[in-house]
Amino acid sequence: MKKALVFIVLMMIICTLGVLVACESKTNYPIDFPQDKPLPEGIESITPTNGAALGDNGYFFNSGKGGSFFVSVKFKPGYEEGNFAVFADGKQLPILNKNELDDCLYIDYEVYPTARVAISWSGNPVLRSHNVTFEYINGNVEEEVTNFTFSYQYIQGDYSSGIKTASTLKELYEIIQRGTTRFIYGTKLIVTASVEGKIAFPQDSMVSYSATKYSDKLTSKIVGNKAIKTWEKIVESDISLELNPNRFRDGDKMNNNSYLVEDYNIFNDKFDKVETLKDIYDNQGKLYARLQNNQAIYYLKDNFKKVDINGVVEDGKFLYREEDKRWYLELKKPNEYALEKADGYDIGFAEGENGVSKYLQDNPKFVYGTIEIDFKSNIMDWGADTYLSNYYLGAYNGYRLKDGKEMISVCFAKSVNNIKVIINGSKEIVFNGINDSAFDAESKEGVTLYNATGASRLEITGGQSVHNGKTETHSIMFDQAVVGELKSIEIVSAD
């Protein structure tokens, strides 16, 4: 009996193994996939997926009896199918899915295997072509630039068109219109403007285009006695390229793009203001840019320090002048920096993986955005409980110091001459004679009241604010390191 029982158990095990082997032979079909075969130009990858698995002996189909797997193809940016096709045992496969993401085409081809299956492909993808239209924007203004020479060419792969030249943008536009206006993906459209005998550049937007996405390269450089600006536009979609003759600088004024330094406040080593590119290039000594008078910037210059000037990142060289009690940043001549930028300065604290934005986010001394103040006063001439935030002292990239100074603008009725400022419902400070003609500024316990037209106020920031047709009369600065975090301000008459 025991022998019979053992025999039955053995037979059951053998049958079970036989069923598994039979199932495996029916469902785990090998996939002959040429993994080492070079891919056609324009194909990023070809991979069996969704039901296909990679084992020790190559790919196999493992989805169970019946069903399908995919051959997924990723095309390189700008390419489409052309005559490219995928085959299973020599039979062309149907397309199941087709999607685009970041200029890349993705196609899934579906395979229904019933035995060992061989995957192959043939043909080649092609680059897409796009329409490029050119517009001449004259703004009903005569083109006054006479010293510049303009040129245009395009480069498609190894092919380079001839360089077309013209003495005006309008003439260049007319030459372009007679040529090719449909280009394959990745074509470079190159426009230059050059002038001899003076340092001058048109504005960056003289050549611009409208597109949902685009790439370009802009360079400015000085070669001998010639100033050259080049726009290199990359065709990645249908675009409209605009040529605007009105986008020229006034003479050879320099370009200054920065939230770190005051616009156009560049000085030589004698601290005489330098206003033109010629003055910059003729200067033999050091150059300085005056910083925005901003407490967040002053904190960063001491604690973050790294400054990006025209693409070069270095620790900023800062200078304090006792004469005007302002901070300055040392500069080089613009063409001594990278990126061939010769028409001025792009200046800011350095960005990147560990740049100033991350530093501000992680620093507990900073908070993002404007502060919320509960303001109450019925003696405002531009409306009860109305004040204006003065952003001058506040932020860099939207971040401000938590214990920094905050300034508000107010407008008192002419009858008001003495006021009481109540901070956070408890701290009270009185200012008298605020409408006296001699009143300039007065500081008490971390609070400073300024006459909006007084000399002290004008040293800090510029013109007056206007609201509801009424002009600001005074500004009030609160030093939160002294008065604490501002939650509420109430101003009442102390007459």
Side-chain angles (χ1 to χ4, degrees), residues 1-13:
M1 182 69 182
K2 289 183 178 179
K3 290 182 178 179
L5 181 61
V6 170
F7 176 77
I8 292 171
V9 171
L10 287 173
M11 289 299 294
M12 290 177 64
I13 293 172

Side-chain angles (χ1 to χ4, degrees), residues 318-363:
F318 298 100
L319 170 73
Y320 181 75
R321 287 192 77 230
E322 187 63 42
E323 290 83 350
D324 57 2
K325 296 182 172 28
R326 294 293 300 274
W327 282 95
Y328 292 79
L329 173 66
E330 185 177 323
L331 303 174
K332 302 172 186 175
K333 291 182 181 180
N335 67 341
E336 294 179 8
Y337 290 99
L339 306 181
E340 296 183 306
K341 184 171 180 59
D343 61 345
Y345 296 96
D346 286 330
I347 305 172
F349 286 110
E351 286 291 351
E353 184 177 351
N354 295 306
V356 68
S357 293
K358 187 175 188 306
Y359 179 84
L360 292 166
Q361 291 171 11
D362 296 343
N363 193 320

Side-chain angles (χ1 to χ4, degrees), residues 295 299 365 371 393 400-407 423-424 427 429 444-448 477-487:
Q295 59 193 335
Y299 178 92
K365 288 186 66 67
I371 62 172
L393 290 168
R400 60 185 61 237
L401 287 165
K402 285 183 178 178
D403 62 353
K405 297 177 182 179
E406 293 291 334
M407 180 181 280
I423 304 167
N424 296 340
K427 187 179 183 67
I429 299 174
K444 294 181 178 181
E445 300 176 58
V447 180
T448 304
M477 185 188 296
F478 300 86
D479 187 344
Q480 294 181 105
V482 177
V483 303
E485 183 181 358
L486 282 177
K487 297 293 186 181

Side-chain angles (χ1 to χ4, degrees), residues 145-151 165-167 191-198 200-202 206 221 225-231 248:
V145 178
T146 57
N147 296 324
F148 277 84
T149 300
F150 304 93
S151 71
T165 61
S167 58
V191 178
T192 65
S194 60
V195 61
E196 293 188 26
K198 68 182 293 190
F201 294 91
M206 188 201 81
K221 59 185 178 181
N225 70 337
K226 181 181 288 188
I228 304 170
K229 193 158 199 169
T230 303
W231 294 260
F248 285 88

Side-chain angles (χ1 to χ4, degrees), residues 176-284:
I176 294 172
Q177 285 294 90
R178 296 195 293 268
T180 302
T181 56
R182 188 168 177 84
F183 301 93
I184 61 173
Y185 180 95
T187 298
K188 297 178 183 178
L189 308 178
I190 302 171
V191 178
T192 65
S194 60
V195 61
E196 293 188 26
K198 68 182 293 190
I199 299 172
F201 294 91
Q203 292 181 14
D204 295 353
S205 57
M206 188 201 81
V207 179
S208 59
Y209 59 13
S210 56
T212 54
K213 71 183 298 294
Y214 57 86
S215 301
D216 58 16
K217 179 182 178 183
L218 177 66
T219 59
S220 305
K221 59 185 178 181
I222 296 171
V223 180
N225 70 337
K226 181 181 288 188
I228 304 170
K229 193 158 199 169
T230 303
W231 294 260
E232 185 179 291
K233 307 292 185 180
I234 310 299
V235 177
E236 296 179 329
S237 62
D238 292 349
I239 59 175
S240 176
L241 193 69
E242 297 179 350
L243 306 179
N244 193 330
N246 301 308
R247 302 301 189 193
F248 285 88
R249 273 185 231 300
D250 180 15
D252 60 348
K253 295 282 186 181
M254 63 185 166
N255 177 33
N256 180 26
N257 180 23
S258 174
Y259 294 107
L260 175 56
V261 303
E262 291 183 347
D263 288 343
Y264 304 108
N265 279 285
I266 310 295
F267 300 83
N268 60 24
D269 52 6
K270 297 179 181 178
F271 285 89
D272 297 323
K273 196 169 183 179
V274 179
E275 297 193 7
T276 69
L277 285 168
K278 187 175 187 306
D279 290 336
I280 286 179
Y281 284 94
D282 287 346
N283 182 68
Q284 299 302 309

